[in-house]
Amino acid sequence: MAAGTIRYWAAAKSAAGVAEEPYAARTLAEALDAVRERHPGELTRVLQRCSFLIDGDPVGTRGHETVRLAEGGTVEVLPPFAGG
């Protein structure tokens, strides 16, 4: 199991009530399951619209259960942004 940091941006940060928090998980799916348990409600809805970066690399359409997390890594939670 890897330990690292989840960083929330924009609406995800507002819904979580924190800018970042630690994770302890093997995959992105496990990390997000733990986030949903800690922050039921609005953040769970926001996560459905988010994209994710793992150590700077986009997850894209890969299944979250296939995305391995590294020790000391960072998961960026990015809700849709207006403009462009």
Side-chain angles (χ1 to χ4, degrees):
M1 183 151 324
T5 302
I6 297 176
R7 289 190 185 138
Y8 301 104
W9 296 97
K13 179 179 173 180
S14 178
V18 296
E20 63 182 48
E21 63 186 348
Y23 71 73
R26 289 182 288 274
T27 66
L28 177 58
E30 288 177 10
L32 293 177
D33 286 345
V35 164
R36 289 181 191 100
E37 285 181 27
R38 283 191 304 270
H39 305 283
E42 183 62 23
L43 183 57
T44 297
R45 289 185 286 281
V46 170
L47 288 175
Q48 294 172 353
R49 300 184 313 269
C50 288
S51 58
F52 304 94
L53 297 177
I54 307 299
D55 299 326
D57 294 323
V59 170
T61 59
R62 290 182 287 162
H64 295 170
E65 67 283 349
T66 68
V67 179
R68 306 291 294 175
L69 300 179
E71 183 67 29
T74 302
V75 175
E76 307 277 351
V77 181
L78 305 168
F81 292 95

